[in-house]
């Protein structure tokens, strides 16, 4: 765990799970942003001071997910996120500021560049969906498991749709997903028939004991379905 | 200035024509007036013009500003010339010196004396290539001071017998940043010297970090090596980074356009970090294809599933996009949406695993 006590947007301390090495760092956590704070209003980007002994002072571009406080659908988008001068920097978008405090989820890897040399192929690991209710089916997925962190991106052919399956909670049961990963991740829960809005429908799920659990808000007209997906790095242990 | 032993003018001091006599101890020394080189190149003209402008600039500053330079010069104490003579730095000299470096580094003239002066510093280097095709230095690291720039002078010996070349280097490049520790001087070298290096030619490089605001050259790394086919430190063939940029792409086809492309592979096993912005012209697109010329043949099929989003006018909607780099048999970049359709104008970015 690392604690980031200082930032430029008037937020409180932020605790992130971390894996650090010279070439790759993985961070997991949630940042709460108050868009009415005067420091936030004047900031052009969000900056959080990393510990002085953090392994990386500069990274290539990575991502974070903005989850707004918009009623029901929590519209949001993906943000640029990177490390610069020992600070965690996040792109500032103000499209959803009128809905009040919003959250930024960081479940990302940060790497350096400039390598010249040989590469090896990434080893993937197979997973199976154990659910027997036919609520879930992979379209495509990639799961990479290392001793220190995992990477998981999954797109679904079948995924709970609120119109027909209700609000949940739903649990995606997986074989062979690391049971020591405990992380909250944004789920992109929109399909081709979702009305176009500013931002995308998002709900937040939790990986714990190798399974993913999530719910949809009450009064949801249409959320979830077969275009849903997630994409994250998470530390282990 | 050339020093000549005096025989005839034992008690004479003053100037006559191009000759100046002065007393030094119990000797009279004659020196000839310094003349510009007769060579007239664009670079020399620009250098002289810059110097003359800077010298004249001192006349135009206010008396208060002038006192600031004089005060700073007084704090510096004295310095010794190559002949051993001790001089005190004047405000005028300091103004010209610092502003000359500022102009070289691309900064405007400063009328106000800086609060401090910063000497240049040595560089560290991992490995480097001096070949006809590549003059590339790696492992220079990140600058510690945001105002620092890399100051690079070079000289190529005209024959193997030419010696004492360390003071013949000329400015070749000012690099505001390194590219993750690398600088590529190939084009700057050809621009300065007109032709590529030849194997066996001896190259002298004077290089340092200098503060572009208030720096002056004091400490620098000076290296002289023969051009060779392999790297200087590790004797390795030139090996480019696994990287594709917008200038290595046919960025437009009949349906779509790549507006920005910056893609690189990092080890451990294989990660990509990238930023790509694309738009298509009409209709709904499931994907777009572009030719590239960026990667070595060792890369064949580099696929990453990553977040993308519509641009602001497209409402920032999120998709999952497959970025596929085919290399070898066909050199294609394919961007395709795996969750519905791509917005007409979208960007994808981030750090992801590459899998096959």
């Amino acid at each position: 765990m690392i604690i980031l006590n200082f930032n430029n947007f008037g937020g409180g301390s932020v605790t992130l799970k971390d894996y650090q090495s010279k070439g790759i760092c993985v961070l997991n956590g949630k940042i709460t942003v108050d868009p009415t704070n005067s420091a936030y209003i004047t900031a052009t980007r969000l900056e959080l001071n990393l510990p002085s002994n953090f392994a990386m002072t500069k990274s290539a571009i990575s991502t974070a997910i903005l989850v707004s406080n918009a009623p029901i659908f929590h519209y949001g988008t993906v943000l640029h996120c990177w490390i610069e001068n020992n600070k965690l920097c996040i792109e500032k978008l103000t499209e959803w500021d009128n809905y009040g405090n919003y959250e930024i989820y960081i479940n990302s890897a940060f790497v350096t560049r400039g390598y010249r040399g040989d590469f090896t192929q990434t080893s993937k690991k197979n997973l199976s969906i154990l659910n027997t209710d036919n609520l879930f089916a992979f379209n495509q997925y990639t799961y990479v498991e290392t001793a220190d962190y995992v990477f998981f991106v999954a797109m679904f052919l079948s995924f709970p749709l609120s119109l027909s399956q209700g609000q949940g909670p739903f649990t995606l049961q997986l074989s062979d997903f690391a049971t020591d990963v405990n992380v909250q991740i944004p789920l992109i829960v929109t399909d081709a028939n979702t009305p176009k809005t500013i931002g995308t429908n998002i709900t937040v799920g939790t990986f714990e004991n190798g399974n993913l659990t999530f719910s949809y808000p009450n009064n949801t007209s249409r959320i979830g379905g077969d275009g849903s997906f997630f994409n994250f790095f998470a530390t282990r242990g | 200035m050339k020093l000549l032993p005096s025989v005839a003018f034992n008690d004479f001091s003053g100037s006559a024509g191009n000759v100046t006599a002065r007393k030094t101890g119990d000797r009279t020394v004659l020196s000839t007036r310094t003349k510009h080189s007769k060579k007239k190149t664009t670079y020399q003209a620009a250098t002289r013009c810059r110097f003359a402008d800077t010298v004249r600039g001192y006349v135009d500053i206010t008396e208060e500003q002038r006192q600031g330079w004089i005060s700073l010069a007084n704090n510096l104490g004295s310095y010794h010339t190559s002949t051993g003579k001790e001089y005190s730095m004047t405000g005028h000299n300091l103004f010209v010196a610092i502003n000359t470096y500022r102009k070289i580094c691309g900064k405007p003239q400063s009328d106000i004396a800086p609060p401090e002066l910063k000497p240049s510093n040595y560089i560290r280097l991992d490995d480097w290539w001096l070949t006809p095709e590549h003059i590339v230095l790696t492992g220079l690291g990140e600058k510690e001071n945001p105002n620092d720039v890399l100051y690079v002078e070079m000289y190529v010996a005209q024959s193997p017998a030419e010696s004492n070349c360390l003071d013949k280097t000329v400015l070749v490049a000012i690099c505001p940043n390194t590219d993750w520790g690398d600088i590529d001087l190939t084009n700057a070298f050809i621009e300065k010297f007109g032709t590529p290096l030849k194997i066996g030619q001896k190259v002298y490089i004077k290089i340092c970090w200098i503060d572009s605001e208030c720096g002056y050259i004091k400490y620098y790394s000076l290296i002289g090596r023969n051009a060779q086919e392999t790297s200087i430190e590790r004797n390795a063939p030139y090996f480019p980074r696994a990287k594709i940029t917008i200038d290595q792409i046919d960025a437009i086809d009949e349906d779509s356009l790549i507006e920005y492309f910056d893609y690189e592979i990092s080890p451990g096993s294989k990660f990509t970090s990238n930023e790509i912005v694309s738009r298509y012209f009409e209709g709904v697109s499931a994907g777009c294809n572009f030719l590239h010329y960026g990667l070595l043949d060792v890369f064949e099929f580099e696929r990453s599933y990553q977040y993308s989003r519509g641009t602001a006018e497209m409402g920032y909607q999120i998709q999952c996009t497959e970025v596929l780099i085919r290399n070898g048999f066909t050199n294609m970049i394919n961007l395709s949406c795996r969750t519905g359709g791509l917005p007409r104008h979208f960007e994808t970015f981030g750090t992801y695993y590459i899998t096959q």
Side-chain angles (χ1 to χ4, degrees):
Chain A
M1 294 276 195
I2 56 172
I3 299 174
L4 315 186
N5 289 316
F6 301 101
N7 58 65
N8 72 337
F9 55 89
S13 290
V14 173
T15 301
L16 300 176
K17 289 184 181 178
D18 66 302
Y19 166 73
Q20 299 180 40
S21 72
K22 195 178 171 188
I24 176 170
C25 293
V26 176
L27 296 177
N28 295 108
K30 182 173 71 175
I31 298 164
T32 301
V33 178
D34 174 5
T36 63
N37 190 293
S38 57
Y40 169 84
I41 291 167
T42 56
T44 55
R45 64 186 192 187
L46 310 184
E47 298 178 353
L48 301 100
N49 289 21
L50 290 164
S52 58
N53 60 349
F54 195 77
M56 195 178 282
T57 57
K58 176 187 175 184
S59 80
I61 200 72
S62 189
T63 54
I65 303 290
L66 185 157
V67 181
S68 78
N69 203 22
I72 302 175
F73 297 104
H74 295 282
Y75 302 122
T77 194
V78 57
L79 302 174
H80 294 83
C81 179
W82 68 100
I83 295 168
E84 179 182 322
N85 294 330
N86 210 47
K87 289 186 169 87
L88 184 65
C89 303
I90 306 168
E91 177 186 13
K92 177 184 171 187
L93 284 184
T94 58
E95 260 66 14
W96 302 276
D97 281 4
N98 289 338
Y99 295 115
N101 287 10
Y102 66 82
E103 281 162 349
I104 295 173
Y105 286 82
I106 297 174
N107 297 302
S108 308
F110 300 84
V111 297
T112 55
R113 286 179 158 194
Y115 178 74
R116 294 169 194 271
D118 297 326
F119 293 89
T120 55
Q121 292 297 340
T122 307
S123 296
K124 294 188 289 186
K125 186 175 175 182
N126 290 329
L127 297 175
S128 300
I129 293 175
L130 301 176
N131 299 54
T132 55
D133 48 15
N134 292 325
L135 281 179
F136 298 95
F138 286 133
N139 181 351
Q140 284 164 322
Y141 76 93
T142 297
Y143 176 57
V144 179
E145 188 177 290
T146 74
D148 302 299
Y149 55 87
V150 300
F151 169 70
F152 192 13
V153 51
M155 296 146 269
F156 291 87
L157 281 175
S158 297
F159 199 83
L161 178 66
S162 61
L163 281 178
S164 46
Q165 275 91 34
Q167 274 68 49
F170 306 100
T171 299
L172 169 63
Q173 297 168 283
L174 295 167
S175 71
D176 300 317
F177 184 84
T179 54
D180 56 355
V181 170
N182 189 340
V183 64
Q184 277 194 313
I185 59 161
L187 309 175
I188 311 305
V189 279
T190 187
D191 67 10
N193 296 311
T194 303
K196 294 302 176 213
T197 53
I198 302 297
T200 296
N201 300 351
I202 297 175
T203 195
V204 174
T206 302
F207 264 100
E208 196 169 15
N209 296 320
N211 300 321
L212 171 68
T213 302
F214 62 95
S215 301
Y216 294 141
N218 291 330
N219 303 317
T220 304
S221 55
R222 183 181 187 93
I223 192 165
D226 59 11
S228 302
F229 74 99
F230 54 75
N231 187 332
F232 67 94
F233 284 84
T235 59
R236 300 183 65 178
Chain B
M1 190 171 285
K2 191 173 180 181
L3 300 176
L4 304 169
S6 167
V7 177
F9 299 94
N10 280 338
D11 293 317
F12 176 81
S13 64
S15 295
N18 284 332
V19 179
T20 299
R22 67 180 190 278
K23 290 281 287 180
T24 300
D26 56 357
R27 292 192 310 149
T28 299
V29 177
L30 299 183
S31 55
T32 54
R33 190 187 296 270
T34 302
K35 292 178 182 176
H36 285 310
S37 160
K38 289 180 182 174
K39 290 179 184 172
K40 290 179 181 173
T41 65
T42 308
Y43 173 74
Q44 285 165 333
T47 302
R48 285 172 193 151
C49 186
R50 184 171 59 219
F51 182 76
D53 283 349
T54 308
V55 170
R56 278 194 293 272
Y58 192 70
V59 177
D60 296 331
I61 64 177
T62 66
E63 182 57 29
E64 187 182 358
Q65 290 166 338
R66 211 171 285 129
Q67 288 304 320
W69 287 98
I70 291 168
S71 171
L72 184 61
N74 289 340
N75 292 338
L76 294 178
S78 58
Y79 65 96
H80 291 83
T81 66
S82 56
T83 61
K85 179 109 176 144
E86 185 175 351
Y87 286 95
S88 294
M89 178 66 85
T90 67
H92 187 196
N93 286 349
L94 190 60
F95 174 89
V96 172
I98 296 304
N99 275 303
T100 297
Y101 285 124
R102 282 179 61 90
K103 287 184 180 179
I104 287 171
C105 297
K107 297 283 182 182
Q109 175 179 295
S110 173
D111 295 342
I112 302 168
E116 61 172 337
L117 300 176
K118 292 185 179 171
S120 62
N121 217 336
Y122 304 107
I123 58 133
R124 64 180 170 82
L125 204 55
D126 180 29
D127 201 359
W128 44 305
W129 283 270
L130 283 177
T131 76
E133 296 83 18
H134 302 287
I135 302 175
V136 174
L137 283 60
T138 70
L140 287 153
E142 295 299 322
K143 55 188 181 186
E144 293 173 2
N145 168 9
N147 291 329
D148 273 358
V149 297
L150 268 174
Y151 176 98
V152 187
E153 291 186 358
M154 298 178 84
Y155 178 74
V156 184
Q158 300 305 300
S159 76
E162 188 177 2
S163 58
N164 296 329
C165 299
L166 296 178
D167 59 349
K168 294 181 179 175
T169 54
V170 292
L171 182 64
V172 169
I174 295 288
C175 306
N177 288 298
T178 68
D179 178 10
W180 292 92
D182 293 0
I183 55 168
D184 188 335
L185 299 168
T186 315
N187 291 337
F189 179 90
I190 292 174
E191 198 171 308
K192 174 62 70 181
F193 297 107
T195 58
L197 263 179
K198 295 186 180 72
I199 296 298
Q201 274 188 310
K202 189 156 193 178
V203 183
Y204 295 87
I205 303 177
K206 176 180 174 180
I207 181 169
C208 58
W209 290 107
I210 182 171
D211 189 304
S212 57
E213 291 288 341
C214 56
Y216 64 97
I217 291 187
K218 183 169 185 182
Y219 306 111
Y220 51 84
S221 303
L222 193 53
I223 41 189
R225 296 297 288 258
N226 290 334
Q228 61 183 56
E229 294 287 3
T230 54
S231 68
I232 302 295
E233 299 294 334
R234 298 206 181 90
N235 210 28
Y238 179 74
F239 196 91
R241 284 156 55 179
K243 178 179 174 184
I244 306 174
T245 51
I246 187 77
D247 56 343
Q248 296 168 310
I249 292 175
D250 283 347
I252 187 165
D253 69 7
E254 58 187 17
D255 300 321
S256 48
L257 164 75
I258 292 270
E259 294 179 334
Y260 185 77
F261 200 95
D262 176 22
Y263 181 100
E264 185 157 343
I265 300 174
S266 298
S269 313
K270 262 202 285 196
F271 293 99
T272 173
S273 58
N274 61 65
E275 288 186 82
I276 302 166
V277 183
S278 181
R279 82 164 62 229
Y280 59 92
F281 303 129
E282 285 187 28
V284 176
S285 175
C288 40
N289 297 286
F290 300 91
L291 272 173
H292 76 88
Y293 314 95
L295 292 179
L296 288 180
D297 288 347
V298 293
F299 302 98
E300 294 176 356
F301 193 90
E302 314 299 323
R303 177 166 59 198
S304 52
Y305 293 112
Q306 46 188 81
Y307 283 116
S308 63
R309 74 178 190 198
T311 52
E313 76 271 21
M314 298 284 117
Y316 292 116
Q317 296 237 329
I318 305 178
Q319 304 82 37
C320 183
T321 294
E322 178 185 297
V323 176
L324 176 59
I325 313 287
R326 294 175 190 272
N327 199 43
F329 179 71
T330 173
N331 289 6
M332 293 298 294
I333 297 166
N334 174 250
L335 309 177
S336 56
C337 186
R338 291 299 174 191
T339 52
L342 283 168
R344 186 165 293 180
H345 196 192
F346 70 95
E347 53 189 323
T348 181
F349 52 84
T351 294
Y352 306 92
Y353 262 114
I354 291 174
T355 54
Q356 287 192 309

